[in-house]
Amino acid sequence: MIRLVRTAVAGLLAATLGLAAAPTHAADPSPGAPRERRFLIGIEGLGVMAPALRPRITAFDARYLGSSVTLGGVGLFGRFQAAPRIGLELGVRSGSLRYRNRSDVISQDMVLAELGVLLYLLRGKVGHFAVDAGGGGLVHAVRYELTGRPNGAQIVGGGLVHVGADLELRLRRIAFTASLRALGVVTDVARTRARGALFDGASEAQRRMPVAVFQTYLLGSVGVAYRF
């Protein structure tokens, strides 16, 4: 994962240098100039690097579980060019992961909803580079399928803020995007909803979602969007 992060950062830096050398847009006063496309809607593939779960209702072999894991998923997003250098984004993203310990399976799913603002630092004819910041909320869901024991699930919500960098390659009607963002996540584990016979008679600590109240995630994504 560290190699992937280094590659993504290097790619964004290379794209930034390329954009810096590209000519910026100039207003075309001619009547035949193409109309400005200020909206785009897209889909993306993503990976979320997050701290590994530390379940209390069961135990994993520590030799096979590192300090962090990567959830894979997809996202939907929309962007609006509010001003030449300002953009607004609304996105819904999800990530999933399966932990296996012998025949035991724990499924982790996450859904994030965010609203953000992009500041375009570099604007070329095709490439645009921006920094962004925003916030939103998320929902964690963990399901347990343990051998010889009843099933159970935990669900809890939280809030998040993010900062990051974004690259857009804009063609006439299609755009390609890449983003790298750091997320600060606060989870209200005291409000965990534990369901299923697995948690009957469990202690309060065992019923709580096995995540820390304060966490940091790293989200990387690439996508394709339609401009209109």
Side-chain angles (χ1 to χ4, degrees):
M1 185 62 194
I2 294 176
R3 183 177 297 177
L4 176 62
V5 173
R6 289 176 178 173
T7 302
V9 172
L12 285 175
L13 289 176
T16 302
L17 293 175
L19 289 172
T24 57
H25 279 298
D28 189 346
S30 62
R35 70 179 181 86
E36 183 180 8
R37 301 182 187 277
R38 303 177 65 188
F39 295 88
L40 63 82
I41 295 178
I43 185 171
E44 61 188 359
L46 59 91
V48 182
M49 188 171 71
L53 291 179
R54 302 296 178 183
R56 303 177 183 91
I57 200 70
T58 187
F60 279 132
D61 190 330
R63 294 174 298 176
Y64 304 109
L65 188 63
S67 60
S68 63
V69 295
T70 301
L71 292 78
V74 297
L76 295 173
F77 65 94
R79 291 182 183 174
F80 169 60
Q81 192 84 34
R85 292 192 176 273
I86 301 295
L88 303 177
E89 179 187 275
L90 177 64
V92 177
R93 300 174 172 92
S94 66
S96 300
L97 180 67
R98 302 294 180 265
Y99 298 77
R100 294 185 180 274
N101 187 34
R102 299 185 179 89
S103 57
D104 295 341
V105 178
I106 297 179
S107 304
Q108 180 182 11
D109 296 287
M110 189 184 304
V111 178
L112 307 90
E114 300 176 85
L115 178 63
V117 177
L118 294 88
L119 174 62
Y120 290 93
L121 302 180
L122 298 171
R123 301 174 65 243
K125 286 186 176 180
V126 175
H128 292 64
F129 178 79
V131 294
D132 70 87
L138 78 163
V139 175
H140 299 270
V142 176
R143 294 188 297 275
Y144 299 85
E145 301 175 20
L146 309 179
T147 304
R149 302 175 66 182
N151 295 341
Q154 295 169 307
I155 300 175
V156 71
L160 64 90
V161 295
H162 78 256
V163 294
D166 297 84
L167 176 66
E168 295 179 6
L169 301 178
R170 298 180 183 178
L171 305 180
R172 183 171 182 179
R173 291 186 177 273
I174 300 295
F176 298 95
T177 65
S179 299
L180 185 63
R181 295 173 175 174
L183 288 74
V185 179
V186 180
T187 306
D188 190 359
V189 295
R191 295 182 178 272
T192 301
R193 290 179 289 172
R195 300 175 177 177
L198 178 64
F199 293 98
D200 290 347
S203 67
E204 184 63 27
Q206 290 175 325
R207 295 177 64 86
R208 290 189 175 190
M209 180 68 72
V211 299
V213 175
F214 300 100
Q215 293 184 309
T216 301
Y217 297 169
L218 185 64
L219 188 153
S221 65
V222 291
V224 60
Y226 179 78
R227 303 179 62 208
F228 61 96

